[in-house]
Amino acid sequence: MFGLSVIPQIDTLESKMSEIKNKSVINIDFYEDKYSYVVFETGKYLLGVKKIGGKDRENVEISEMPRNFIYDNGNVFVFYQKSMEVYNSLRMKIKEYNGSMLITDPIVFGEGRNVAFLVSNKLIMFGI
């Protein structure tokens, strides 16, 4: 079981807690009061987005275990060995990149609307 708790909010002095139960958590990243995660369950990798303290929603299956994972401003950037997928907060795929070389050093900038990474000796950049 994986428990996640957050610092009390200053305006309400409430503590909220979220849990991801009975699943192997592979990746997790936060943005404001939401978080995105990848779990391994029944032989599949599943992507989820959840508000802290919110109810579970159905996860979407992704192709393999991510090498890198970034959640920024409602967009989830999932980096594999030679490809990348971008999902919105509803877990719908909105962008995809497939290459023939290993992806390294990914960064997200511009309020989660742009991504850059290295492929061999080339810098790849594009907007969502």
Side-chain angles (χ1 to χ4, degrees), residues 113-128:
R113 303 297 300 161
N114 301 288
V115 62
F117 49 86
L118 295 175
V119 175
S120 185
N121 62 351
K122 297 178 187 174
L123 175 64
I124 307 291
M125 292 177 46
F126 57 87
I128 308 300

Side-chain angles (χ1 to χ4, degrees), residues 9-87:
Q9 295 178 347
I10 293 173
D11 57 346
T12 62
L13 296 178
E14 279 184 39
S15 249
K16 293 183 180 181
M17 184 165 180
S18 286
E19 293 181 336
I20 302 172
K21 295 181 181 180
N22 304 320
K23 298 175 184 171
S24 296
V25 177
I26 305 297
N27 297 89
I28 191 164
D29 198 9
F30 297 87
Y31 180 78
E32 294 181 350
D33 65 341
K34 292 183 181 180
Y35 62 98
S36 183
Y37 56 92
V38 174
V39 294
F40 184 73
E41 181 181 16
T42 62
K44 298 176 184 175
Y45 293 98
L46 304 171
L47 170 70
V49 176
K50 188 175 176 184
K51 185 172 183 171
I52 295 174
K55 296 180 181 182
D56 283 332
R57 293 176 22 188
E58 187 175 326
N59 297 329
V60 64
E61 185 176 348
I62 58 175
S63 59
E64 60 186 272
M65 185 173 89
R67 273 187 100 222
N68 292 298
F69 182 83
I70 301 170
Y71 181 46
D72 191 349
N73 203 24
N75 291 322
V76 183
F77 298 82
V78 182
F79 297 89
Y80 305 108
Q81 294 281 334
K82 299 176 183 178
S83 63
M84 179 204 65
E85 297 172 341
V86 182
Y87 295 85

